[in-house]
Amino acid sequence: MPRGQKSKRRGREKRRQARMETKDLGNAQAAATPTPTSGSTPPGSPPAGAGQKPQGAAATSSPVAGASRPRSKARGRGQVEERENSSRASTSAKTAPLDPLTEKAGVLVNFLLDQFKMKEPIRKIDMLKLFHKRYKTRFPEILRRAAKCMELSFGLELKEVKPNGYSYTLVSKIGLISDEVLSSSCEVPKNGLLMPLLNVIYVNGNRASEADVWEFLNVLGIYDGKQHVIFGDPRKLITEEWVQQNYLVYRQIPDSDPLSYEFLWGSRAYAETSKMKVLEFLAKISSTIPSAFPFHYAEALREDDERARAAVRVYSPAKASVCSKVTSSSPSSP
């Protein structure tokens, strides 16, 4: 096979793998987010009706093609019954009760968000009051699920204030929110969505088309033009706010026809995190390890090695300058 064709084939394979990993990332993050029992839509959870075709969407089969051959009454009745059975199964799936622990974790997530907004202490005794006493022995598992949701959806880690398990605090986990911001703001941080978005860009070859980004966000129940309960206007967030903060670069794809755009990491993202950190995040929500993604793991290791060498180059001249000053200021030996 000619070299050019091999290169194109490898490129197509990389893009296919990136699309699969992007979809897995969205599915894993959505699955890791418990659903609160309140009427509000939980962060990262698709709203009711998500996944349904929009009005006016083309049908999978043409009505003209369907009319081209006659159907027997028996076959028609069979298809009607099949559709009714499918509809009943779909309805029963929608109304199926949630796992009780997941439901309780959703309640606890809402409590943690309220405490964070009001700058109130997070105490175990107050959390236990949310549940019936029969859940007391299951509370550690409920707390674990809620803490995982807080980390994946908001980039906040629930940590014990003291090693006694009686009180907790929320601290930045991903390094993209300063402690000053957390301590001075009553707003729920939006940067928890930034880490998975950086992951999407990374697994797509360090640049992700706008279509790929919205496909990922849709899995999380975040849609273009629709206000989100936590993230507000998602288009403004990812194309304006994070671009102005230098976390993302949003630019036109050269020579694209029709006109299209792509996202890249911004300078602040490179300064405050690394490819290895976002890969560790992907591995965590996928319940695996970073080396399970060999291509991206090798690239992340190379970046870490380059950063280490750069740090040595910066440190060595500074150390030499200090040693020179000390030598020149010390008295000469007799």
Side-chain angles (χ1 to χ4, degrees):
M1 182 182 292
R3 185 174 300 175
Q5 291 183 2
K6 287 184 178 180
S7 178
K8 289 181 180 179
R9 185 176 180 181
R10 283 196 299 268
R12 285 195 299 268
E13 178 62 24
K14 284 183 180 179
R15 288 191 294 272
R16 185 187 69 81
Q17 183 68 22
R19 283 195 297 270
M20 291 177 60
E21 291 182 4
T22 299
K23 190 179 229 179
D24 291 343
L25 172 62
N27 290 336
Q29 176 130 6
T33 305
T35 305
T37 56
S38 63
S40 60
T41 302
S45 171
Q52 297 177 353
K53 287 185 180 179
Q55 292 183 352
T60 55
S61 60
S62 168
V64 176
S68 62
R69 70 175 70 169
R71 295 176 181 173
S72 67
K73 293 182 180 179
R75 184 180 179 187
R77 284 195 301 270
Q79 289 182 336
V80 170
E81 291 175 0
E82 183 178 350
R83 283 196 297 269
E84 290 176 350
N85 291 336
S86 175
S87 177
R88 283 194 293 268
S90 176
T91 303
S92 64
K94 289 180 181 178
T95 58
L98 291 172
D99 167 26
L101 295 187
T102 298
E103 182 181 349
K104 302 304 179 186
V107 172
L108 188 53
V109 166
N110 283 343
F111 172 80
L112 293 173
L113 291 176
D114 288 339
Q115 295 300 99
F116 178 81
K117 289 178 182 178
M118 297 185 295
K119 294 186 177 180
E120 294 289 339
I122 302 171
R123 301 183 303 174
K124 181 178 180 180
I125 188 173
D126 295 326
M127 291 189 281
L128 286 172
K129 291 177 182 178
L130 299 171
F131 313 114
H132 191 276
K133 59 183 180 181
R134 68 172 176 267
Y135 286 103
K136 185 175 182 179
T137 58
R138 308 301 301 276
F139 179 75
E141 174 61 17
I142 295 172
L143 183 64
R144 186 193 68 79
R145 296 189 188 190
K148 185 175 182 181
C149 174
M150 294 296 294
E151 181 180 342
L152 298 182
S153 295
F154 305 108
L156 295 176
E157 182 181 11
L158 187 68
K159 298 187 71 173
E160 292 180 329
V161 174
K162 293 181 180 180
N164 54 22
Y166 296 137
S167 60
Y168 300 82
T169 187
L170 290 166
V171 298
S172 173
K173 173 67 176 177
I174 60 178
L176 294 172
I177 314 170
S178 66
D179 291 335
E180 291 77 13
V181 171
L182 286 177
S183 61
S184 63
S185 173
C186 296
E187 294 297 321
V188 176
K190 300 176 181 179
N191 292 40
L193 183 63
L194 184 54
M195 181 63 87
L197 192 54
L198 293 175
N199 240 311
V200 172
I201 296 171
Y202 177 35
V203 301
N204 278 279
N206 298 308
R207 63 186 68 229
S209 69
E210 188 169 11
D212 287 335
V213 167
W214 282 113
E215 181 180 357
F216 164 74
L217 293 176
N218 289 350
V219 175
L220 300 183
I222 302 172
Y223 300 92
D224 190 7
K226 183 175 181 179
Q227 284 288 119
H228 190 272
V229 64
I230 297 298
F231 305 112
D233 182 348
R235 172 166 289 277
K236 181 179 180 181
L237 178 65
I238 66 176
T239 64
E240 295 181 27
E241 294 182 25
W242 284 343
V243 170
Q244 292 169 1
Q245 295 169 12
N246 295 318
Y247 282 125
L248 297 177
V249 173
Y250 179 62
R251 71 182 188 185
Q252 179 183 339
I253 299 176
D255 303 322
S256 58
D257 185 22
L259 185 65
S260 54
Y261 292 81
E262 65 183 0
F263 289 90
L264 293 83
W265 282 28
S267 58
R268 193 170 174 185
Y270 279 105
E272 295 187 12
T273 190
S274 67
K275 292 176 180 177
M276 185 59 77
K277 286 183 180 179
V278 297
L279 193 61
E280 288 171 351
F281 178 88
L282 172 60
K284 182 169 186 177
I285 66 175
S286 303
S287 300
T288 184
I289 55 176
S291 57
F293 309 93
F295 175 80
H296 299 100
Y297 184 66
E299 183 179 350
L301 284 176
R302 286 196 300 271
E303 186 200 59
D304 280 356
D305 188 49
E306 290 170 1
R307 288 192 177 201
R309 288 201 299 268
V312 170
R313 287 195 296 269
V314 171
Y315 175 74
S316 297
K319 183 177 179 181
S321 176
V322 171
C323 291
S324 175
K325 289 179 182 180
V326 171
T327 303
S328 61
S329 60
S330 60
S332 57
S333 57

